[in-house]
Amino acid sequence: MMKEKFKKLGILFVAVAVVITVVLSLQKTKQEEKKETALQIPAIFKIKPTATYSIKAVVGETSAVNKIVTDPIYNQMTITSVDSNLVGNKRYVLVVPTGKGTTTIRVTGKYNKKTYGYDIKTQVTNPNNVKVGVDLSSYQGKIEADVLKKAGTNFAIVRAGHGYSTEKNFSHFIKECQKDKIDLGLYWYLSSKDNKTLITDKEVLDQANAFVKLLKENKLTSESLQYPIYLDLESDTLYGNVPEVIKIAYVESLAREFFDVLAKAGYKNVGIYANKSYYETYLSNAYFASIKHKWYARYGYVGTKPTITLNNQTFTPDMWQIGDNFKIQGISKERIDLNYYYLK
C-alpha cells in the first residue's frame, strides 16, 4: 500500500516537474522573442519611442534629414505621414519650406506592426527671392483659391488643355485665382489625338488654335498673365519612331508651330516645361536653349536652383517643379504639385 502511494507521488512530482519545465521554457521563449523584437527595432527608437531633430531651412531650398538613416533597418519601415525618397541605399525625408516661421514636422512609421515616430523641429527663413506656387488641373478637383492663399501660395500655373481635351475646370480656376489675387500662368500638354501615335502638324495647329480660343473666351490677354504660357513637351507622341538624328530638330519644328500661333494672337511670353531627361535628350539644341522661360521638373533634388545643360550651356531655370505629391491643408481630394519661381 505504502509502495503504491510513493509510486503515485513520484508520478505527481514528475508531472509537476514537466509543467514547471514547460512554463519556464515558454517564459524563456517569450523573453527571447521580446529580446529579438527589441533588437529589430531601429536604433533611433531604442531609448525613446519618439526622437526629436532640429533643422534650419530656407524658402527656395530643399533640405534632407539624414540622421534617420544611421540604422539600416529603418529602410524597411513604411513611412505613413510624409514622403520619403530613396537615394542609393539611404532613405531620407525631404523638407520643402514654403514660408517663414517655425514648425514641427511629425513623421510616423510602422515596423513589426508597431508605430514609431520622430519630430523634426524646423526653423524657416525667407530671403524673399523666390515665389511659391502650385500647378492646377482637374486632378485637384474644383479647389477654392482662398485655400491656396491661406497656405501661402503666390501663384498658380493652370493647365489649359491636354492633347485635344481642354481643361474642364479651366474657367473655375481662372476666376478663383483672379478673385483671390493669385498670380496666373498657364500650360498646355501637347499630345496626339489618341495619345498613342505620333503627333501630326495638323494636330499641333489644332491644339494651338484651341488654346487661343480658350484664352479669348476667358478674356485672358498677355498682359493679364503674370507668369508665362508653358508648353509641356513630355509626351512620347512627339518623338515616336522619328530617327534619332533628326528627333531634336523635329520637336523644335512642333514647338515653333505651336508658338507661332500664340504669337500671332498676341501671346509671346512663352516657356518650355520638361524634366531633366527630356530637356537634355530632346530639347538640347540652340533653339530650346534660347527660350527665356524654362520650367524644370526635378523631383527629389536636395539644394537650390538645379541646373540643366542645353547646347553645351548650363542654365538655371527660373521655375523649378519640386515634386508632385504635396498636401495643402483644406485640399483633401488629391495631392498637388509644388513650384519655386526664382526672382531675378
Side-chain angles (χ1 to χ4, degrees), residues 57-93:
V58 181
V59 177
E61 300 181 15
T62 56
S63 304
V65 182
N66 292 308
K67 293 180 181 179
I68 62 174
V69 302
T70 55
D71 193 311
I73 295 176
Y74 186 83
N75 287 328
Q76 301 172 31
M77 291 181 67
T78 301
I79 308 301
T80 57
S81 66
V82 298
D83 301 319
S84 63
N85 299 275
L86 193 61
V87 175
N89 293 320
K90 292 186 176 183
R91 186 182 295 275
Y92 66 86
V93 173

Side-chain angles (χ1 to χ4, degrees), residues 112-132:
N112 278 358
K113 298 181 179 179
K114 292 185 178 180
T115 298
Y116 303 94
Y118 62 94
D119 294 329
I120 306 172
K121 291 185 177 179
T122 310
Q123 177 69 47
V124 184
T125 57
N126 189 351
N128 296 315
N129 65 342
V130 61
K131 298 290 185 181
V132 179

Side-chain angles (χ1 to χ4, degrees), residues 90-308:
K90 292 186 176 183
R91 186 182 295 275
Y92 66 86
V93 173
L94 193 65
V95 178
V96 181
T98 58
K100 181 179 178 181
T102 58
T103 186
T104 298
I105 302 169
R106 176 68 176 162
V107 182
T108 58
K110 287 186 177 180
Y111 187 74
N112 278 358
K113 298 181 179 179
K114 292 185 178 180
T115 298
Y116 303 94
Y118 62 94
D119 294 329
I120 306 172
K121 291 185 177 179
T122 310
Q123 177 69 47
V124 184
T125 57
N126 189 351
N128 296 315
N129 65 342
V130 61
K131 298 290 185 181
V132 179
V134 299
D135 45 286
L136 301 175
S137 70
S138 53
Y139 289 114
Q140 283 78 46
K142 279 195 170 185
I143 65 169
E144 306 302 319
D146 61 332
V147 175
L148 297 174
K149 193 74 173 180
K150 288 176 184 176
T153 302
N154 303 124
F155 68 89
I157 310 297
V158 178
R159 187 176 76 174
H162 181 293
Y164 267 65
S165 301
T166 53
E167 172 57 55
K168 64 180 181 180
N169 292 333
F170 185 77
S171 295
H172 170 78
F173 288 145
I174 298 301
K175 290 175 183 176
E176 281 291 309
C177 289
Q178 289 175 335
K179 180 186 70 175
D180 287 289
K181 293 181 172 50
I182 291 177
D183 289 342
L184 277 168
L186 308 173
Y187 79 97
W188 187 282
Y189 180 88
L190 191 63
S191 181
S192 66
K193 191 170 186 177
D194 62 5
N195 204 30
K196 294 178 182 178
T197 54
L198 185 66
I199 196 169
T200 65
D201 289 337
K202 181 180 182 304
E203 288 175 326
V204 174
L205 296 174
D206 284 349
Q207 290 175 56
N209 285 310
F211 194 1
V212 170
K213 181 181 177 184
L214 191 65
L215 293 169
K216 301 294 186 185
E217 288 174 348
N218 287 271
K219 299 179 181 179
L220 290 170
T221 63
S222 182
E223 292 73 27
S224 65
L225 297 172
Q226 295 78 27
Y227 286 80
I229 293 175
Y230 294 95
L231 185 59
D232 185 334
L233 294 174
E234 285 192 346
S235 173
D236 289 337
T237 68
L238 310 183
Y239 312 100
N241 58 358
V242 179
E244 291 296 328
V245 292
I246 63 167
K247 192 162 283 189
I248 296 176
Y250 176 75
V251 181
E252 176 187 333
S253 70
L254 301 179
R256 283 184 181 275
E257 286 178 338
F258 193 93
F259 287 144
D260 281 348
V261 173
L262 291 184
K264 288 175 182 176
Y267 304 94
K268 297 180 181 180
N269 189 25
V270 296
I272 296 292
Y273 168 89
N275 61 31
K276 179 179 174 67
S277 176
Y278 278 94
Y279 261 121
E280 297 188 349
T281 304
Y282 304 119
L283 313 175
S284 59
N285 66 4
Y287 170 72
F288 290 112
S290 70
I291 293 178
K292 180 180 179 181
H293 299 294
K294 297 175 179 66
W295 182 9
Y296 189 26
R298 186 76 187 273
Y299 300 174
Y301 181 86
V302 179
T304 181
K305 297 183 179 180
T307 60
I308 49 176

